[in-house]
Amino acid sequence: MVEIETVEDENVPAPGNDEWKPLMGEELVMKVIKSARPGNNKDPAPIQPNDAVMIDFVARVADDRFSTDGPTIQEVKDWFIVVGDGDVLPALELAIRFMDSGSTARVWSHSKYAFSSGTRKHEKTQLASNTNIMFEVTVTQIIVDTSRLNPYFTIQKAVSRKAIANDVYQNEWCPPSKSEQEPSCNAAMARALRLYKKAAQGMETLLGGTYFNQVEENHPQRLQTTQIMLDSLNNIVAVYLRQKQYHEAKQAAVEVLKQDSKNIKGLLRAAKASLLDPASTMEEVQAALSAADSEITYKHPQEEKELKRIKAQYKRKQQEYKKKTKEMFSNKLNKQEPSDTEGIRDPSPSNTTVKKEQGPTANVEGTENMGEKRIGDIQGKTPFWKSTAFAACVPVILLLSFFLLYGFLREASLGEESPIMGSADDIDPSRGGSEVNLDL
């Protein structure tokens, strides 16, 4: 067996008799199985924090450190990473720090330092959550940081981050878990988002630096940098859409359009996010659809088809909203008020007693009876002041009804289905619709 050739670290115990080096107790261990030495027989250069390295690795299911032939769940070639940036899984990040350039190591990891409660698909294999993993990783070379001289190093770092994020998005996504036994992809999608954001920020910083201020607009590296930035920003929107975080997706789409107001995928995803976001107003959705419609033409057949589907969905929801509004206002207006004369005795002639007496007394009593008859005539009708007050209240009633309806619809929209915008399942790709394609 070849002994481990690493930098001495007092915080890491020395290997035991079986030559496995514990990195995190017995839950994360490694051993070097191949070490490359230069021709001058000097010790190979150990990996240091902040070193940029190129790695290859294979990951297999392994119940324990002695399992080496389990199902393969990941194969990687030429990933460019910076040690300490956290762009790869914790098991790999920790192990690489104790390797040399050109060496190969086996790293056995408890699930919590690998894919944890998440999952991953590889060909016909679907990884179960909380599965232990054996990595066989090779550091092929240490890459010299030349970012002070030209943008090549920074561009390649962003390209690799986007590629790693694409791999996570495509192979480690899963539907929302309904129980603790089902896998959860939240941590994986958070890692993809972090990588896309770092790639986009790196390219935006590079574009604003001094190097590109000295080159022409159509310089190949400027064009490549711009495209990586836009692709990464667009992919952030795609992740949020797939995670059903529609408000965040809408905000992320705005960032794309700030950089390129005519970006086709940015416009389309902004329209989709606006339609699905319960906080969106009808005016916002209409504006987003109009902006997308102005740029998406027959030259973009896939996007044009998707836009037509979103517009049809929006039209259906508009019709449903108008129908519900009309029904509610109709019910309010058709509702009759209680009769004003209910419970009041009808003073008909049969119920009116007129005393016929002689003299002044008769005149007084006759006058009182006449007053009763006049009041009786009026009691069967609605007084003028009441009809006027009711007419004045109608606009107030309609206005209050509108606000009640709006509050009801907003409350319902926070649940499983929005009366205005519709169910997320109507056009969400994770429920049978078209997948949110990444900008690779």
Side-chain angles (χ1 to χ4, degrees):
M1 285 289 183
V2 179
E3 294 192 2
I4 302 172
E5 299 174 357
T6 62
V7 179
E8 294 295 331
D9 191 322
E10 59 183 5
N11 296 320
V12 180
N17 294 332
D18 59 356
E19 298 182 6
W20 286 91
K21 177 190 289 289
L23 302 177
M24 296 296 290
E26 293 300 312
E27 295 181 333
L28 180 61
V29 295
M30 66 170 289
K31 71 174 178 179
V32 173
I33 60 174
K34 179 183 177 183
S35 180
R37 289 181 178 273
N40 57 12
N41 291 326
K42 291 183 178 180
D43 290 338
I47 307 301
Q48 301 291 339
N50 300 318
D51 276 351
V53 297
M54 195 79 76
I55 62 170
D56 302 337
F57 69 86
V58 177
R60 295 184 176 86
V61 175
D63 292 335
D64 53 49
R65 68 181 70 176
F66 305 107
S67 301
T68 59
D69 57 354
T72 300
I73 48 91
Q74 188 174 14
E75 291 184 85
V76 166
K77 290 284 290 183
D78 298 331
W79 271 10
F80 177 127
I81 68 167
V82 176
V83 178
D85 280 3
D87 294 344
V88 292
L89 294 171
L92 291 169
E93 178 79 35
L94 288 169
I96 290 169
R97 298 184 186 202
F98 298 97
M99 295 178 65
D100 304 325
S101 177
S103 64
T104 300
R106 283 184 181 150
V107 183
W108 182 83
S109 172
H110 186 278
S111 61
K112 65 183 179 182
Y113 299 114
F115 300 99
S116 189
S117 59
T119 184
R120 182 178 174 85
K121 64 179 181 181
H122 179 75
E123 297 178 351
K124 296 182 179 180
T125 302
Q126 186 75 41
L127 182 69
S129 60
N130 300 309
T131 299
N132 300 334
I133 302 295
M134 177 70 79
F135 296 94
E136 188 166 309
V137 56
T138 300
V139 178
T140 58
Q141 60 177 309
I142 298 176
I143 301 172
V144 178
D145 185 350
T146 59
S147 57
R148 293 181 179 274
L149 302 176
N150 61 69
Y152 177 80
F153 179 88
T154 306
I155 291 173
Q156 292 308 308
K157 187 166 59 174
V159 168
S160 185
R161 281 174 172 162
K162 186 165 74 75
I164 296 171
N166 288 350
D167 176 79
V168 174
Y169 177 89
Q170 293 168 339
N171 299 305
E172 296 181 24
W173 183 86
C174 59
S177 58
K178 298 180 180 179
S179 67
E180 293 183 356
Q181 287 71 35
E182 294 182 354
S184 170
C185 66
N186 291 336
M189 293 303 102
R191 186 158 64 96
L193 284 171
R194 186 172 66 252
L195 287 163
Y196 284 136
K197 289 176 181 178
K198 287 166 73 174
Q201 290 167 0
M203 297 298 92
E204 185 176 5
T205 301
L206 190 60
L207 286 169
T210 56
Y211 181 84
F212 285 123
N213 290 334
Q214 302 171 7
V215 300
E216 59 274 13
E217 289 293 325
N218 61 348
H219 189 280
Q221 285 185 323
R222 178 192 286 276
L223 297 176
Q224 183 186 15
T225 301
T226 302
Q227 193 60 52
I228 294 169
M229 179 186 66
L230 291 173
D231 289 349
S232 298
L233 290 173
N234 258 317
N235 289 348
I236 291 170
V237 186
V239 174
Y240 280 133
L241 283 173
R242 204 172 190 186
Q243 287 292 90
K244 301 184 186 296
Q245 295 175 268
Y246 302 119
H247 186 67
E248 290 80 358
K250 184 173 70 175
Q251 292 177 318
V254 171
E255 295 303 315
V256 178
L257 299 177
K258 283 182 181 178
Q259 300 292 341
D260 180 7
S261 61
K262 296 184 178 182
N263 187 273
I264 298 300
K265 286 190 176 180
L267 289 166
L268 181 64
R269 290 170 182 173
K272 182 182 291 187
S274 296
L275 180 63
L276 292 173
D277 179 16
S280 294
T281 63
M282 301 293 275
E283 291 76 11
E284 282 182 311
V285 180
Q286 184 60 54
L289 287 171
S290 298
D293 198 36
S294 66
E295 296 295 334
I296 297 175
T297 65
Y298 68 92
K299 296 179 180 180
H300 317 96
Q302 184 177 352
E303 288 79 9
E304 186 179 37
K305 181 179 178 181
E306 181 68 11
L307 180 59
K308 287 180 179 178
R309 194 162 69 91
I310 296 172
K311 290 166 70 174
Q313 179 70 15
Y314 173 63
K315 186 175 181 179
R316 287 196 299 271
K317 297 310 166 186
Q318 272 188 316
Q319 293 171 348
E320 291 174 9
Y321 174 69
K322 290 179 180 179
K323 182 179 178 182
K324 290 179 181 179
T325 304
K326 183 178 179 181
E327 289 175 353
M328 188 159 187
F329 285 157
S330 176
N331 292 337
K332 288 286 183 182
L333 294 175
N334 292 334
K335 186 176 180 181
Q336 294 183 355
E337 292 186 352
S339 174
D340 289 339
T341 60
E342 186 177 345
I344 299 177
R345 181 175 62 86
D346 181 13
S348 62
S350 60
N351 293 329
T352 304
T353 303
V354 180
K355 295 182 180 180
K356 296 181 181 180
E357 296 185 4
Q358 300 295 329
T361 306
N363 293 335
V364 173
E365 290 180 353
T367 303
E368 291 174 356
N369 290 336
M370 289 178 63
E372 285 184 12
K373 186 173 182 181
R374 289 172 183 170
I375 294 172
D377 291 340
I378 296 172
Q379 283 175 337
K381 302 177 182 179
T382 302
F384 174 77
W385 70 269
K386 287 190 176 181
S387 59
T388 305
F390 176 75
C393 288
V394 168
V396 178
I397 293 172
L398 291 176
L399 185 60
L400 290 174
S401 300
F402 173 79
F403 282 114
L404 286 172
L405 174 63
Y406 180 76
F408 170 77
L409 294 178
R410 283 299 301 272
E411 182 179 359
S413 71
L414 296 177
E416 295 182 356
E417 182 170 348
S418 168
I420 299 177
M421 299 305 170
S423 169
D425 295 340
D426 288 337
I427 65 172
D428 184 70
S430 64
R431 298 297 183 89
S434 60
E435 185 177 353
V436 185
N437 296 320
L438 291 176
D439 293 308
L440 302 175

